[in-house]
Amino acid sequence: MSKPTSGPFEKTPGWLDWYEGPSKPAFQVPPGSVDAHCHVFGPGGTFPYAPERKYTPCDASREQLFALRDHLGFARNVVVQATCHGADNRAMVDALQAAGGRARGVATVKRGVTDEELQNLHAAGVRGVRFNFVKRLVDFTPRDELMEIASRIHKLGWHVVIYFEAVDLPELWDFFTALPTTVVVDHMGRPDVTQPLDGPEFELFVKFMREHPNVWSKVSCPERLSVSGPQALNGEQNAYRDVVPFARKIVETFPDRVLWGTDWPHPNLKGHMPDDGLLVDFIPHIAPTAELQRKLLVDNPMRLYWPEESAGKA
Ligand SMILES: O=C(O)c1cc(C(=O)O)oc(=O)c1
């Protein structure tokens, strides 16, 4: 892969660039696997970062994303609109259009979005919108505005991706459970993995999924959630051990409603930047059988993002 660059923008102080030269994973993902959570950043010289952004990243182009996809052995990507681009979806849409059908997208839209704009996003491959509740990333959007957007995109067959911190789930519960669409939770709702697996916080998340069959979860981002490591660097084959029981519980309890993604280029990591090849080697720890791996990496993302190709398959 080529080196990370930054264009006319100055990166947030302390910004960690994505990892150059990721290792070749020891774990071979099944044919047709989907990296169902990744981003593109700019390049800022072509697709400027949004004025309202909370961070300024290094660039992470579509070519660099596709090179990583091929290197790790994935067939497809789901490109999720990053908050540094606000509701300007051009960089994400550009990546979808360049992917030759091998990428779908999740957009950020505002209440004023027109039906024609939604249709254009659909034609480009967008299949969902993202609602973000992580306060360090976005300003507050009124719930009625989000609900209005959800009911409009529901008609297009899209879903809603939600990003929040575990401590905020009780307060967001009523809003989330009123959403009319399939709801996909980013990064397992960011559990505090120093708390017990069967403690009240994670139990609430499990209950959220158990009681609401329209709720799915991405079992991604151990590098964000881990407290004790070890980090996915220097060939480490047992990275982020403290996250494993949480992710594995979700995969084994809800095998048909889980997705996995690299989260490349890993915005806002503070301590270290993982080797993406070693992140792939984390997968068999949380999805220990071939069947669970196939569901997580192929069947589930295909059903959600390419239903026309997976119709009729189990
Ligand atoms: O935790 C984060 O900082 C983060 C940020 C973004 C984004 O800025 O879109 O997306 C993610 O999936 C995670």
Side-chain angles (χ1 to χ4, degrees), residues 41-281:
F41 295 154
T46 315
F47 302 111
Y49 300 113
E52 73 273 23
R53 69 190 179 280
K54 305 289 185 207
Y55 63 87
T56 307
C58 67
D59 291 334
S61 71
R62 67 184 198 204
E63 290 83 6
Q64 288 161 335
L65 175 66
F66 300 156
L68 180 72
R69 173 198 68 197
D70 295 345
H71 175 78
L72 298 178
F74 283 81
R76 305 179 194 227
N77 295 111
V78 179
V79 186
V80 177
Q81 174 73 354
T83 59
C84 57
H85 281 293
D88 175 354
N89 294 289
R90 281 177 298 164
M92 182 270 293
V93 162
D94 172 71
L96 303 189
Q97 287 171 335
R102 295 172 68 189
R104 295 287 194 234
V106 174
T108 296
V109 300
K110 292 190 173 149
R111 177 179 248 158
V113 68
T114 65
D115 288 340
E116 191 188 350
E117 283 165 338
L118 289 177
Q119 284 301 342
N120 289 341
L121 289 170
H122 190 88
V126 170
R127 295 293 180 267
V129 291
R130 191 181 200 200
F131 294 167
N132 205 317
F133 302 89
V134 177
K135 296 175 188 89
R136 69 183 159 81
L137 293 174
V138 286
D139 295 324
F140 178 81
T141 308
R143 305 275 188 270
D144 62 333
E145 177 169 343
L146 297 177
M147 200 50 91
E148 188 183 308
I149 292 167
S151 64
R152 285 179 67 197
I153 62 97
H154 186 210
K155 299 191 188 92
L156 296 167
W158 294 10
H159 58 271
V160 173
V161 173
I162 52 177
Y163 190 26
F164 61 94
E165 307 269 358
V167 286
D168 295 325
L169 181 56
E171 186 230 314
L172 291 162
W173 183 275
D174 290 346
F175 174 73
F176 288 165
T177 56
L179 287 167
T181 60
T182 294
V183 174
V184 181
V185 178
D186 275 341
H187 318 325
M188 284 192 292
R190 296 190 60 103
D192 172 356
V193 299
T194 64
Q195 294 194 21
L197 185 64
D198 57 0
E201 188 189 271
F202 200 60
E203 274 299 307
L204 188 70
F205 183 66
V206 173
K207 177 177 166 189
F208 180 44
M209 290 196 72
R210 194 189 320 110
E211 292 184 355
H212 301 92
N214 63 323
V215 177
W216 295 40
S217 178
K218 292 177 196 163
V219 286
S220 43
C221 280
E223 71 284 6
R224 286 187 193 285
L225 304 174
S226 181
V227 176
S228 64
Q231 301 168 349
L233 286 169
N234 306 317
E236 177 59 60
Q237 283 293 311
N238 275 298
Y240 313 124
R241 263 166 252 174
D242 49 350
V243 183
V244 169
F246 291 83
R248 187 167 166 166
K249 174 153 185 176
I250 297 299
V251 170
E252 290 182 334
T253 314
F254 309 105
D256 298 311
R257 291 190 268 145
V258 282
L259 302 170
W260 187 87
T262 52
D263 192 37
W264 188 89
H266 311 285
N268 302 311
L269 286 183
K270 294 282 179 263
H272 74 292
M273 181 54 64
D275 170 341
D276 294 279
L278 298 173
L279 275 184
V280 172
D281 289 338

